[in-house]
Amino acid sequence: MDRHHPDVNEELIDLLTHTALDERKAFARLYQLAAPQLLGILLRHVRQRALAEELLQDCFIEIWDHAPDYRPERGMPLAWMGRIARNKAIDALWQSPNEASSAPPVLFDPGAGDEPLAVLSERSETSALSDCLRHLPAAQRQSVVLAYFYGQSHREIAGILGSPSGTVKGWITRAVAHLRECVGV
Amino acid sequence: MNYLIPERYQPLAARYVSGVLRGAARSRFEKLADVHPTLQREIIACETLLAPLDAATVPVKPRRRTWRHIEIRLGLRPRHRSHPIFWFLSGMLAAFLISAAVVNFSPQLMPQPELPTPVAVLNDSNGVATMVISRDVARRTLAVTLLQPVDLPAGKVLELWALRRDGTPRSLGLLEGKKPRVNLVAPLSDAAQLAVSIELNGGSPEDKPTGPVVYTGALIIS
């Protein structure tokens, strides 16, 4: 699914609106369209298929319950649902750290063509963020992607990068501020 | 503390959206954002900024049972489906229990079992009946009848276990092929439950499940 295509966003907004009215067919279609993307996010964070599928259930229970709260002005539908998925995964990691894989994610380096920057730069709609990420100092870039993309806590990032967790918090704050200015959001 | 000044809410929003604001701190920030449009706008701006990173996420098709479980949990589908095979096998179980009771009083009427006899119905973690384990006395085997489709990841296999009353597991064998069947090398008289775990190809390397136990059920007849 092309999440940035306006038609897809409009369909998702329409489906969320009808889900808010307890329309099961709309909810089923919403699941069909969004579940693979959300499961991808969950798997990336918890790296355990069974746990990710359980969390996906929790996500759609919450989406069903909170669909009436969704407003288009509160962000794109997939960003809204993605936040629910990320929070579920983060909570699962926070409450039961042993349930998820303890293996740290592979650090990426933009020069090596690793994910996710390589994927971003291939897409015109995401290349602005990709370019701006490349201009960040390496520690800031790695901190923000380890946090957002892999669900690592600031303590885990501090361990991976060998820096105090307070420093990591500062890197993330500065990285987001710089990216906002660079992308123009 | 006044959170409505940019120097305070911007770092919090950045940490919230990037995922490092956790636990009670995250809950407090979400409650504040619910009532302060300024914070909501800041969160949306950060989400809009970072959301393209999700373009690098590989979509993964969920297992079919995940949607079924969502429907059941929301009450959109009856918890117990009237699956014809389930009712047929339940009937067989009831019939066998009655005949077993009769046999206890009339040993001379003991029938010669010809059909495999259901000995356990295994449920998944949501209590949904997923498979029936039947014993074929003549062939000294256990056969499996699936009531629900079982999605197994590549490189994984299902392993059947007998659990003693103290919980000690004993492997009964791997469930492979369209009509899984395991040879019974020892009686089930010491077992209280049957269980199925997901293991790497070749089965558990230890005398106990090393993968998740996904289905369990009481052994009705040992």
Side-chain angles (χ1 to χ4, degrees):
Chain A
M1 176 176 50
D2 184 352
R3 50 180 288 139
H4 295 279
H5 197 286
D7 290 346
V8 173
N9 268 325
E10 280 174 22
E11 183 176 5
L12 290 173
I13 290 170
D14 189 53
L15 291 171
L16 274 170
T17 306
H18 284 86
T19 298
L21 299 171
D22 288 354
E23 291 184 21
R24 297 178 189 187
K25 279 186 181 172
F27 184 52
R29 174 73 178 149
L30 183 70
Y31 178 86
Q32 191 183 18
L33 285 178
Q37 185 74 19
L38 299 191
L39 184 56
I41 291 172
L42 291 165
L43 267 173
R44 205 178 61 208
H45 282 66
V46 302
R47 283 165 278 151
Q48 253 193 41
R49 181 65 186 256
L51 178 58
E53 298 261 0
E54 276 181 32
L55 294 173
L56 185 66
Q57 288 183 38
D58 296 342
C59 286
F60 275 89
I61 303 287
E62 187 164 333
I63 289 168
W64 172 267
D65 287 341
H66 290 276
D69 300 334
Y70 174 74
R71 301 280 181 281
E73 59 270 22
R74 297 185 77 167
M76 288 190 296
L78 261 181
W80 182 75
M81 291 186 279
R83 187 204 303 170
I84 291 172
R86 254 187 302 278
N87 284 346
K88 294 284 178 204
I90 287 167
D91 288 345
L93 294 169
W94 179 259
Q95 287 158 10
S96 307
N98 294 331
E99 277 200 49
S101 165
S102 57
V106 177
L107 276 180
F108 64 90
D109 178 20
D114 291 337
E115 64 159 359
L117 291 187
V119 179
L120 288 183
S121 60
E122 289 167 7
R123 302 182 181 210
S124 58
E125 72 273 14
T126 57
S127 60
L129 177 64
S130 174
D131 288 345
C132 292
L133 274 165
R134 285 172 199 281
H135 287 106
L136 284 177
Q140 287 187 25
R141 180 177 58 246
Q142 290 177 337
S143 296
V144 80
V145 178
L146 282 168
Y148 184 86
F149 199 73
Y150 293 107
Q152 300 284 293
S153 69
H154 56 76
R155 283 193 187 86
E156 288 166 324
I157 298 168
I160 293 168
L161 299 182
S163 299
S165 59
T167 305
V168 171
K169 286 182 193 173
W171 281 340
I172 289 172
T173 302
R174 285 199 292 280
V176 172
H178 171 84
L179 289 172
R180 283 190 64 179
E181 192 179 344
C182 179
V183 174
V185 174
Chain B
M1 184 182 288
N2 180 11
Y3 286 97
L4 298 178
I5 53 175
E7 292 76 16
R8 292 225 173 91
Y9 67 70
Q10 283 177 346
L12 284 170
R15 288 171 53 205
Y16 173 71
V17 173
S18 62
V20 295
L21 195 66
R22 301 185 175 191
R26 192 184 81 201
S27 299
R28 279 198 303 273
F29 186 67
E30 284 175 334
K31 280 177 187 160
L32 278 173
D34 279 344
V35 293
H36 291 295
T38 309
L39 299 191
Q40 279 178 26
R41 281 194 294 274
E42 186 70 14
I43 289 170
I44 290 164
C46 292
E47 272 181 352
T48 307
L49 174 76
L50 295 179
L53 278 171
D54 286 331
T57 301
V58 180
V60 180
K61 191 178 175 187
R63 293 170 182 157
R64 271 182 295 180
R65 64 174 179 234
T66 299
W67 171 244
R68 217 165 36 236
H69 289 167
I70 290 167
E71 286 185 298
I72 290 169
R73 286 175 63 185
L74 288 171
L76 305 178
R77 163 197 287 249
R79 187 171 183 83
H80 296 292
R81 296 197 308 169
S82 301
H83 195 294
I85 298 173
F86 179 79
W87 291 116
F88 170 69
L89 290 168
S90 299
M92 283 179 65
L93 260 177
F96 182 84
L97 287 170
I98 292 166
S99 65
V102 170
V103 165
N104 280 337
F105 290 104
S106 313
Q108 69 276 18
L109 296 177
M110 183 179 287
Q112 292 301 312
E114 294 177 356
L115 292 171
T117 307
V119 293
V121 177
L122 304 194
N123 298 325
D124 67 14
S125 58
N126 290 304
V128 177
T130 304
M131 56 178 69
V132 174
I133 310 294
S134 306
R135 182 172 56 184
D136 185 330
V137 174
R139 294 181 187 171
R140 297 179 60 79
T141 59
L142 290 178
V144 176
T145 305
L146 294 180
L147 304 178
Q148 311 281 350
V150 173
D151 296 325
L152 199 57
K156 298 290 180 69
V157 68
L158 295 176
E159 186 159 0
L160 181 64
W161 301 84
L163 304 178
R164 295 195 186 96
R165 282 171 188 80
D166 65 2
T168 311
R170 169 164 62 94
S171 177
L172 298 174
L174 302 180
L175 304 179
E176 296 176 299
K178 287 185 179 173
K179 293 184 178 177
R181 189 175 281 273
V182 297
N183 291 320
L184 263 181
V185 294
L188 291 171
S189 51
D190 62 340
Q193 284 191 76
L194 296 183
V196 170
S197 66
I198 295 178
E199 303 290 343
L200 289 172
N201 269 343
S204 172
E206 299 177 22
D207 294 332
K208 60 183 181 182
T210 54
V213 174
V214 286
Y215 310 116
T216 56
L219 194 62
I220 303 166
I221 306 158
S222 60

